[in-house]
Amino acid sequence: MKLLTKKMAIAVLAWFTLFTLPAQANDLMMARSKLPFAQAETQLKAQIEAHGYTVSSAKRIDIDLVATGMSKGAYRVIQFGKPAEIKKLAAKFPEMIPFLPLQVVIFAEWEETLFVTLSPTFYSKIAAQSDLIPMYTRWAQDLGSILNMMREKGAAY
Amino acid sequence: MPFDKRPLIVIFVLIVATMMVACSGVGSKRTAEATEGSRLYDLYCSACHGDEGSGGVGVPLALSDFLNTASDEYIYKTIQLGRPGRVMPTFSELSHQQISSIITHMRSWQWRSKAPKYSNEAIIGNPKRGGQLYAKHCAYCHGLSGEGGAGTGVTFSRPRSAKILAPALNNSGFLASASDHMIKATLIQGRAETPMRSVRTMGLKDKDINDIVHYLRTFEATGEAGDQQNEPRVFSKVSQFEFDETLDRLRTAIKRKGYQIIREHTLDAGFAEAGTENSKQWVIYFANFRFINESLTRDSRMGLFLPGRITLIEREGKVSVLAVNPMIYNQLFSNNALIELGRTLQHFYLAVLGEATSS
């Protein structure tokens, strides 16, 4: 009983933490860095890995977008995750599969670089089971930390 | 008897010291607020509006004409209410103190003037005449119904040389944030560095401006498209065929609709060691030039859902096909320019899923 109460308290605390983390308005997390695109991409991958995640792919999708003003080759989708988490989520919560693995979109805006990712508050609307809350909370903290690092590295650039 | 000045000097020194301490307190409080405002601005605003308010995904905020005509109340309400459907989200989670700190930080970009203050009294004019003047002088940029420039101002949806698209004057967030007197001041001042010039240069007099302001209040406020709120986030269809046959039907359906399959792999590709991947969780990525181009032009953040993707899984003997419902795009990005695209893609996804899973 005590253990159950403790678990519930942790879940409530984690839920509260998840929804009070900064910069998570409206299901998106965004950041801007003064790093040029190429350096930003390299740094982003390094930061993702430094936080214990595996980068599974870096997709190019900027097919012939130069006419719209975008720099050639300056748009990527970085996919990443923790293999065990992705496997478990996909097995237990198929409704989450279309959103897996985690992604950060990175693109150049003039000389700066922007980062956009789905906030874990969005995932919590897809699969809201209480045992997932600690994971969402950790994701939110890690994504917040990664984006913050990108901002800081840009400021120091 | 000589007058002893020492007590007066002591009192004077004490008064001066007290004032200095009090002033430094106010100063340090302001400094602390500006520092906190700078931190909050970096966190919540800079991604769209630029580190120094120079704009980008969002409009430039550091334009002197903007800061000289926008009241603190207008900025405060804009942060709270956003511009529904025009990308700027609501920041209802920010406290009064946090929003005030952000405004204090924004005011640090303003060198000369103080924040303007306006009466909240309505300006009464002749709205019918205002409508005629609006059609003649304003509608070209702001749209006949105040719907604003085409697109949303998001980076790729406007010429790279243009700092701003004409704002939507019929947006519920704008109408609730701007007082009549602020709108009037903006019309008179114009916005240097943008196409918005002073209406005085167009020969409009005070009465004409009042008529236009009154007319703007007749716009029907628009914002979020409410009918999409209950859309499912994910489409899931159980197939009546085996896994491999469903996969073949999926590929055929995608190609038949004019899309190109870009790549296919297991969901755990890049995670699992080669040879140990789960081949019963299969992801197909597809696109065509128009699809990608239109998506990114409407909102540069759409890469989160590009290229198109459908996932095929087999679980407990059941084969299912899954895809994100494109009608969530406009809600997620608060961008009504994505509604039509979402609707088109929704038809596409439902047709492909239908063709793949049943005869």
Side-chain angles (χ1 to χ4, degrees), chain B residues 225 227-235 302 305 323-333 335-336 338-347 349-350:
Chain B
D227 61 335
Q228 283 120 45
Q229 296 298 325
N230 297 321
E231 288 277 346
R233 293 184 178 89
V234 173
F235 291 133
M302 268 291 289
F305 298 101
V324 173
N325 179 359
M327 287 308 285
I328 70 165
Y329 300 162
N330 73 294
Q331 292 168 36
L332 193 57
F333 297 115
N335 186 345
N336 284 355
L338 295 170
I339 293 176
E340 194 191 327
L341 180 79
R343 204 166 279 138
T344 306
L345 287 172
Q346 187 183 53
H347 289 310
Y349 273 102
L350 287 174

Side-chain angles (χ1 to χ4, degrees), chain B residues 125-333:
Chain B
N126 178 344
K128 193 176 173 192
R129 190 167 170 275
Q132 291 161 354
L133 291 168
Y134 175 89
K136 186 176 176 189
H137 297 287
C138 318
Y140 181 76
C141 293
H142 291 283
L144 266 177
S145 312
E147 67 272 24
T152 52
V154 177
T155 314
F156 307 129
S157 70
R158 66 173 189 267
R160 300 287 271 179
S161 55
K163 282 195 171 187
I164 192 169
L165 275 180
L169 303 176
N170 66 354
N171 188 273
S172 59
F174 172 78
L175 289 171
S177 303
S179 70
D180 285 4
H181 288 273
M182 195 197 111
I183 296 172
K184 183 174 179 178
T186 305
L187 287 166
I188 292 171
Q189 177 75 30
R191 293 267 160 83
E193 300 177 64
T194 79
M196 173 82 187
R197 57 194 179 100
S198 165
V199 293
R200 295 273 196 225
T201 65
M202 303 171 194
L204 299 186
K205 307 282 185 242
D206 212 52
K207 185 184 176 308
D208 304 324
I209 300 169
N210 289 348
D211 291 347
I212 292 176
V213 173
H214 194 157
Y215 173 69
L216 293 184
R217 288 292 167 202
T218 66
F219 282 148
E220 192 183 340
T222 60
E224 283 178 68
D227 61 335
Q228 283 120 45
Q229 296 298 325
N230 297 321
E231 288 277 346
R233 293 184 178 89
V234 173
F235 291 133
S236 176
K237 277 199 178 275
V238 175
S239 176
Q240 66 184 70
F241 307 107
E242 298 289 312
F243 188 92
D244 288 343
E245 190 178 350
T246 307
L247 182 57
D248 282 341
R249 294 177 68 91
L250 203 49
R251 289 174 182 141
T252 306
I254 290 169
K255 286 176 190 166
R256 193 181 295 146
K257 304 273 177 212
Y259 285 74
Q260 187 185 341
I261 291 174
I262 294 177
R263 66 179 160 271
E264 302 181 25
H265 53 67
T266 60
L267 180 69
D268 54 8
F271 294 122
E273 281 182 33
T276 67
E277 296 101 337
N278 183 351
S279 60
K280 298 295 181 188
Q281 292 174 341
W282 195 256
V283 188
I284 299 182
Y285 289 102
F286 56 89
N288 63 24
F289 167 72
R290 195 174 59 85
F291 165 53
I292 288 185
N293 207 4
E294 273 188 27
S295 302
L296 288 177
T297 302
R298 282 181 166 86
D299 198 310
S300 44
R301 303 165 296 176
M302 268 291 289
L304 280 172
F305 298 101
L306 295 175
R309 167 182 167 168
I310 294 176
T311 311
L312 179 62
I313 63 169
E314 185 171 323
R315 192 168 172 258
E316 294 164 359
K318 238 174 29 179
V319 175
S320 304
V321 185
L322 302 153
V324 173
N325 179 359
M327 287 308 285
I328 70 165
Y329 300 162
N330 73 294
Q331 292 168 36
L332 193 57
F333 297 115

Side-chain angles (χ1 to χ4, degrees), chain A residues 22-23 25-26 32 34 54 59 61 65 68-70 75 77 79 91 94 97 100 103 105 109 114 118 126 151, chain B residues 43-44 46-47 51 56-57 89-90 93 155-156 160 233 263 271 285 292-293 296 300 303-304 309 311 315:
Chain A
N26 304 286
R32 174 185 294 270
K34 289 194 188 303
T54 303
K59 294 185 291 181
I61 53 166
L65 281 164
T68 66
M70 196 158 74
Y75 202 119
V77 182
Q79 294 189 314
I97 287 176
L100 296 176
Q103 299 192 123
V105 159
E109 193 176 70
L114 260 72
L118 287 173
I126 308 288
R151 265 192 293 263
Chain B
L43 211 51
Y44 290 99
S46 70
D51 288 346
V57 173
T90 59
E93 75 276 26
T155 314
F156 307 129
R160 300 287 271 179
R233 293 184 178 89
R263 66 179 160 271
F271 294 122
Y285 289 102
I292 288 185
N293 207 4
L296 288 177
S300 44
L304 280 172
R309 167 182 167 168
T311 311
R315 192 168 172 258

Side-chain angles (χ1 to χ4, degrees), chain A residues 46-63:
Chain A
Q47 281 304 318
I48 288 170
E49 285 171 353
H51 280 77
Y53 297 84
T54 303
V55 173
S56 61
S57 76
K59 294 185 291 181
R60 268 193 73 172
I61 53 166
D62 52 335
I63 306 165

Side-chain angles (χ1 to χ4, degrees), chain A residues 67-117:
Chain A
T68 66
M70 196 158 74
S71 311
K72 195 170 185 179
Y75 202 119
R76 296 276 190 284
V77 182
I78 312 294
Q79 294 189 314
F80 62 97
K82 295 193 174 185
E85 277 179 359
I86 301 297
K87 189 175 177 180
K88 185 181 160 191
L89 276 171
K92 279 184 78 176
F93 305 101
E95 65 274 26
M96 284 281 284
I97 287 176
F99 300 98
L100 296 176
L102 303 179
Q103 299 192 123
V104 176
V105 159
I106 164 175
F107 60 93
E109 193 176 70
W110 292 281
E111 283 74 43
E112 298 179 343
T113 305
L114 260 72
F115 308 86
V116 186
T117 185

